[in-house]
């Protein structure tokens, strides 16, 4: 047990496995978070009820948050451990060095990872703690069951109507995509999965996954800025004119 | 051909080094890269200057002694080619060529372009062997080995230990080398008894030597003069994981 643990936290291969496991854990969170976010397209009732149901989880929510935090800590710890070792392994660099087949994404994992980290901090301050754009944070919404809850829908729509915020999110998500495009395929290799039978599939897995995730996340700010997702006033307006439409049809 | 060479000169392991430029002319396109350096060295000696130290031995692409980072690529721009097998016709007249030693803390420079690669020997000492009875040589085909396994082991055994994988890797990782050695034995019945112990010990030694970790960028596979596949690294990871989870 002692040797196993000593090896787990010292061996470059094992630290890499910790990095891959924690990375996949964070990817799991990314998928869950995305599923929730896409409820924006279902309108204020859907997303706000979802937000309330998360808060209703109480201690379970904190357990989940703790798990994600643990994944992040493990991932960043392993990135630091390996990064230190890797830098020490080449104290004097080359005057000329050309990558042969290493992609730019695979060579800039630390950079894209740190950007994602900075983004996560910003994003929490923005939409979890309401420290950024606080004017949109404390709006209320009355659910169909009469409960008054936090208006996530408006917070997001008002937030992204500011093009600076949309642009920032686009940039950060793009860097997340860079990270993911190498990460997922790389994690498979780290787990020892690489066989001519499916290596082509694995090579494409990371980049395809990255494109899909980034596009799905960005669909929200982009829909706000292009007016596909509107805030409350607009929605009531369209809803009313729709009712008008139905009435007109019925009259005919 | 006339060439301008920017070469790393360093008098000894502990001396400061620097890039020095040399002009060479009358180079035949049929010369190998090492022969071109021989010409440069003869002329330096005629002028009473110190010749450029570089490693070489077989000059036929099988020993792994030749090295050199040539214009930012190990063994130069040709794929699947050692420096001794690289010909000057792959360069053009008047070209400027940068020549540097392998750069890794585990491969200290001995002099100029020659580096000490005994870290690889110490990794091999940890597990690059099988246990066999002494006495008469066993019958060649006494142990049946599936063709597929023999092929994979043979591909891994093609590693000449030149260190190009370390030289090209952004982390100076020796994973392709270690994986090739582990696969070479681990794919054959004779290598089974030490299979799991071998990967643990060799990786431990590579870590102790100060090589970096693998980021799966796969430049090693592209730089390897013997085109050893990163599949062997996946297998090493697999064996390593199995050995640490289920081994004694
Ligand atoms: C919080 C800041 C982050 C940092 C500093 C970071 C850093 C890194 C680094 C440096 C690597 C490459 C390791 C190497 O080159 O050997 C890596 C790999 C990886 N990252 Fe991140 N990352 C971060 C966030 C994320 C996020 C948000 C995800 C999930 C979406 C993620 C998933 C992965 C995965 C799956 C790998 C592959 C592990 C492997 O190669 O086996 N990382 N990370
Ligand atoms: S000198 Fe032997 S491989 Fe080049």
């Amino acid at each position: 047990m002692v040797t196993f643990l000593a090896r787990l936290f010292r061996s470059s291969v094992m630290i890499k496995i910790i990095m891959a496991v924690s990375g996949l854990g964070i990817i799991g969170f990314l998928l869950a978070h995305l599923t929730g976010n896409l409820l924006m397209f279902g309108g204020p009732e859907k997303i706000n009820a979802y937000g309330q149901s998360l808060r209703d989880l109480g201690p379970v929510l904190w357990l989940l948050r703790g798990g994600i935090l643990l994944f992040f800590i493990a991932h960043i710890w392993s990135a630091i451990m390996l990064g230190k070792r890797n830098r020490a392994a080449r104290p004097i660099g080359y005057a000329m060095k050309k990558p042969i087949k290493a992609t730019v994404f695979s060579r800039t994992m630390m950079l894209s990872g740190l950007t994602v980290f900075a983004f996560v901090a910003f994003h929490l301050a923005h939409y979890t703690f309401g420290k950024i754009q606080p004017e949109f944070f404390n709006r209320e919404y009355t659910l169909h069951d009469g409960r008054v809850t936090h208006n996530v829908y408006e917070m997001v729509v008002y937030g992204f109507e500011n093009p600076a915020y949309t642009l920032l999110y686009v940039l950060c998500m793009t860097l997340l995509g860079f990270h993911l495009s190498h990460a997922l395929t790389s994690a498979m290799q780290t787990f020892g999965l690489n066989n001519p039978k499916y290596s082509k599939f694995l090579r494409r897995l990371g980049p395809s996954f990255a494109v899909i995730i980034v596009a799905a996340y960005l669909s929200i700010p982009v829909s706000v800025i292009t007016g596909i997702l509107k805030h409350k006033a607009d929605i009531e307006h369209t809803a009313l004119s729709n009712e008008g439409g139905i009435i007109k049809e019925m009259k005919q | 051909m006339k060439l301008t060479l920017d070469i790393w000169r360093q008098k000894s392991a502990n001396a400061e080094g620097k890039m020095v430029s040399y002009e060479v002319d009358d180079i035949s396109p049929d010369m190998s890269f090492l022969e071109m350096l021989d010409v440069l060295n003869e002329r330096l000696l005629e002028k009473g200057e110190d010749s450029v130290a570089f490693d070489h031995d077989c000059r036929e692409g099988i020993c792994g002694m030749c090295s050199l980072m040539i214009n930012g690529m190990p063994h130069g721009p040709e794929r699947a080619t050692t420096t001794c097998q690289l010909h000057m016709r792959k360069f053009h007249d008047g070209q400027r060529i940068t020549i540097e030693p392998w750069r890794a803390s585990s491969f200290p420079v001995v002099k100029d372009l020659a580096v000490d690669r005994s870290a690889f020997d110490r990794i091999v000492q940890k597990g690059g062997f099988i246990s066999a009875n002494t006495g008469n040589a066993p019958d060649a085909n006494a142990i049946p080995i599936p063709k597929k396994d023999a092929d994979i082991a043979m591909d891994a055994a093609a590693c000449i230990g030149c260190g190009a994988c370390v030289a090209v890797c952004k982390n100076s990782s020796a994973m392709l080398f270690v994986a090739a050695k582990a696969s070479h034995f681990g794919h054959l019945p004779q290598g089974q008894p030490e299979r799991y112990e071998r990967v643990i010990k060799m990786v431990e030694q590579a870590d102790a030597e100060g090589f970096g970790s693998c980021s799966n960028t796969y430049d090693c596979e592209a730089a390897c003069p013997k085109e050893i596949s990163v599949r062997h690294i996946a297998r090493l990871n697999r064996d390593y994981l199995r050995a640490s989870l289920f081994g004694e």
Side-chain angles (χ1 to χ4, degrees), chain B residues 108-128:
Chain B
V109 172
V110 177
K111 187 178 183 213
D112 298 334
L113 302 170
V115 298
D116 178 359
R117 282 168 282 187
S118 49
F120 270 10
D121 298 339
R122 290 187 290 272
I123 294 174
V124 167
Q125 281 161 10
K126 288 289 172 181

Side-chain angles (χ1 to χ4, degrees), chain B:
Chain B
M1 294 170 84
K2 189 169 158 27
L3 300 161
T4 307
L5 308 171
D6 293 322
I7 301 180
W8 180 261
R9 300 302 312 259
Q10 182 174 338
K11 280 208 155 47
S12 66
N14 296 321
E16 284 266 332
K18 62 172 190 300
M19 299 298 289
V20 178
S21 293
Y22 300 93
E23 305 272 340
V24 279
D25 48 13
D26 281 337
I27 295 296
S28 153
D30 294 332
M31 284 179 182
S32 78
F33 201 86
L34 298 185
E35 284 164 342
M36 181 275 292
L37 287 178
D38 290 339
V39 170
L40 170 73
N41 275 346
E42 272 175 25
R43 293 182 192 164
L44 286 177
L45 288 173
E46 276 166 13
K47 282 198 280 180
E49 287 178 36
D50 197 12
S51 59
V52 178
F54 60 90
D55 274 322
H56 61 102
D57 188 15
C58 70
R59 297 211 175 192
E60 52 187 12
I62 53 170
C63 77
M65 269 312 276
C66 59
S67 56
L68 306 187
M69 202 71 173
I70 302 167
N71 275 347
M73 285 195 250
H75 298 291
E78 281 289 295
R79 286 273 186 118
T81 307
T82 54
T83 302
C84 57
Q85 297 292 297
L86 176 68
H87 289 91
M88 294 317 293
R89 55 177 165 273
K90 303 293 179 186
F91 298 86
H92 59 78
D93 192 29
Q95 192 170 344
R96 194 173 192 104
I97 305 174
T98 302
I99 311 169
E100 296 173 84
W102 287 170
R103 294 290 189 197
S105 60
S106 321
F107 286 165
V109 172
V110 177
K111 187 178 183 213
D112 298 334
L113 302 170
V115 298
D116 178 359
R117 282 168 282 187
S118 49
F120 270 10
D121 298 339
R122 290 187 290 272
I123 294 174
V124 167
Q125 281 161 10
K126 288 289 172 181
F129 53 81
I130 58 157
S131 300
N133 291 326
T134 52
N136 286 344
D139 249 9
N141 292 318
I143 305 170
I145 301 171
K147 170 90 167 76
K148 228 173 70 190
D149 290 343
D151 283 350
I152 296 175
M154 196 63 196
D155 284 347
C159 170
I160 54 177
C162 65
C165 46
V166 173
V168 78
C169 175
K170 75 177 178 71
N171 307 333
S172 303
S173 171
M175 278 293 267
L176 191 63
F177 170 78
V178 175
K181 296 302 166 199
S183 255
H184 165 185
F185 298 108
H187 264 286
L188 298 174
Q190 292 92 331
Q192 292 312 305
E194 293 103 349
R195 177 167 167 188
Y196 296 106
E197 209 188 317
R198 177 183 298 119
V199 292
I200 296 275
K201 287 195 166 163
M202 288 178 87
V203 167
E204 242 166 36
Q205 189 61 32
D207 280 352
E209 295 289 347
F211 291 106
S213 75
C214 179
S215 283
N216 303 329
T217 73
Y218 302 166
D219 253 0
C220 52
E221 176 182 84
C224 177
K226 299 297 159 186
E227 300 186 289
I228 294 180
S229 162
V230 293
R231 261 188 78 192
H232 296 294
I233 298 182
R235 184 188 160 95
L236 177 74
N237 290 336
R238 212 153 65 221
D239 276 3
Y240 191 96
L241 196 57
R242 196 176 305 164
S244 19
L245 291 179
F246 309 119
E248 294 306 304

